[in-house]
Amino acid sequence: MIKFENVTKTYNRSVRALDDITFNVKGGEIVGFIGPNGSGKTTTMKLLTGIIRPDSGKITVNGFNIREDPIKVKESIGYIADNPDMFLRLKGTEFLELIGDIYKVSTEDRRKRISSLAEKFGLTGALSSPMMSYSHGMRQKIMVIAALLHKPPVWILDEPMVGLDPKSAFELKQLMREHTKEGNAVFFSTHILEVAEKLCDRVIIIKNGHILYDGELEELEKQNKSDSLENIFLELTEK
Ligand code: ADP
Ligand code: MG
């Protein structure tokens, strides 16, 4: 459902953030995108959503080429950005109504989904307050609800667990599992190895805009028998 083919991205004609990256994510898969700070995770995710454009290469989401069908791609995606500090002047409900309007979610579906997701994440009581007054975790939660409101098949989540309390992190992981069980795709970035270990079918490890590993975590552990996963990761990404 996600296809990245030979994608290169340079910022300001000098910083090569991604260098000829190729990978894919199929329906039914949760794929973890792991790498140290500055390795190119957020850049990859922004390219997938169409927020920024590649220098070269081809990007396909849910069967749509991002250059030819940018709107169809956006409709297919639920995106959680790496920073939830947006629309802070709006109240929680106002923000979710805005998102519902943009994505043309019916009034009934909207009501149902907002109340069930807000309940899951313990945010119901806060919806009538301005998001300015929310903690980082609460802002993160409302971004999760907003991203899932239109039932997108492809989830692109940039460090989604950051700032979530344990119960909410659990609920989100549960949602990710349910989503992929229905044949959809989840692509999420993290620098927390344990999260990837518990959740992923496959990991893609990135460093300096290059993919260092793409495959099952078990396979990676087998190849490096003596070491803990953490050591393998450090070894891979410190070179
Ligand atoms: P990650 O999300 O893995 O931490 P990023 O994709 O944010 O990595 O960054 C990859 C590289 O691109 C870094 O070297 C970063 O400094 C650079 N970069 C990211 N965004 C910009 C930008 N808007 N302008 C210039 N350089 C950027
Ligand atoms: Mg990032």
Side-chain angles (χ1 to χ4, degrees):
M1 294 182 101
I2 293 175
K3 255 191 183 165
F4 234 64
E5 292 171 69
N6 305 106
V7 173
T8 292
K9 172 70 188 174
T10 313
Y11 289 110
N12 310 325
R13 295 186 189 174
S14 57
V15 183
R16 176 145 298 189
L18 296 181
D19 192 7
D20 196 18
I21 293 274
T22 299
F23 69 90
N24 64 57
V25 180
K26 297 193 198 78
E29 269 189 326
I30 302 183
V31 175
F33 197 33
I34 318 180
N37 293 332
S39 53
K41 302 184 297 295
T42 294
T43 299
T44 302
M45 294 192 155
K46 282 185 177 167
L47 285 165
L48 277 171
T49 59
I51 294 171
I52 54 175
R53 282 159 204 255
D55 309 340
S56 57
K58 188 176 162 191
I59 300 168
T60 318
V61 179
N62 202 21
F64 302 109
N65 182 313
I66 205 160
R67 218 182 296 237
E68 288 155 16
D69 284 309
I71 301 291
K72 289 264 189 270
V73 167
K74 288 183 175 76
E75 284 170 356
S76 305
I77 286 176
Y79 171 58
I80 300 180
D82 58 346
N83 178 353
D85 298 336
M86 289 184 275
F87 300 99
L88 294 180
R89 283 169 198 279
L90 299 184
K91 294 174 181 161
T93 40
E94 291 170 342
F95 171 59
L96 293 176
E97 291 298 334
L98 170 69
I99 298 295
D101 287 343
I102 291 171
Y103 286 99
K104 302 191 179 79
V105 182
S106 75
T107 314
E108 205 195 326
D109 284 352
R110 207 181 285 197
R111 211 164 283 151
K112 263 195 248 160
R113 292 188 64 74
I114 291 176
S115 77
S116 99
L117 287 167
E119 201 60 43
K120 261 196 178 98
F121 291 114
L123 207 62
T124 310
L127 287 181
S128 54
S129 309
M131 286 155 54
M132 197 83 82
S133 68
Y134 288 12
S135 68
H136 178 88
M138 288 160 79
R139 290 176 190 174
Q140 185 68 12
K141 289 180 201 178
I142 201 141
M143 290 303 155
V144 174
I145 298 173
L148 307 187
L149 201 54
H150 64 294
K151 282 208 151 198
V154 180
W155 292 5
I156 296 169
L157 318 177
D158 199 351
E159 307 264 2
M161 309 296 173
V162 173
L164 290 188
D165 51 68
K167 158 101 171 43
S168 300
F170 173 82
E171 293 290 352
L172 180 58
K173 284 184 254 179
Q174 206 58 26
L175 285 172
M176 288 159 80
R177 288 199 187 94
E178 285 165 19
H179 191 61
T180 49
K181 263 198 200 122
E182 290 165 10
N184 303 298
V186 174
F187 182 55
F188 78 102
S189 71
T190 182
H191 55 261
I192 308 164
L193 211 52
E194 285 84 22
V195 173
E197 251 182 300
K198 295 209 179 86
L199 206 55
C200 293
D201 303 305
R202 185 153 65 83
V203 294
I204 297 173
I205 300 178
I206 184 170
K207 165 93 190 287
N208 287 340
H210 294 274
I211 289 175
L212 302 182
Y213 181 79
D214 178 349
E216 290 177 11
L217 271 176
E218 269 180 24
E219 189 55 38
L220 185 63
E221 277 175 309
K222 262 188 226 155
Q223 286 173 15
N224 301 267
K225 261 186 211 125
S226 57
D227 253 332
S228 76
L229 206 54
E230 194 169 24
N231 283 340
I232 299 168
F233 179 70
L234 287 174
E235 179 93 349
L236 267 175
T237 54
E238 267 174 6
K239 267 176 209 161

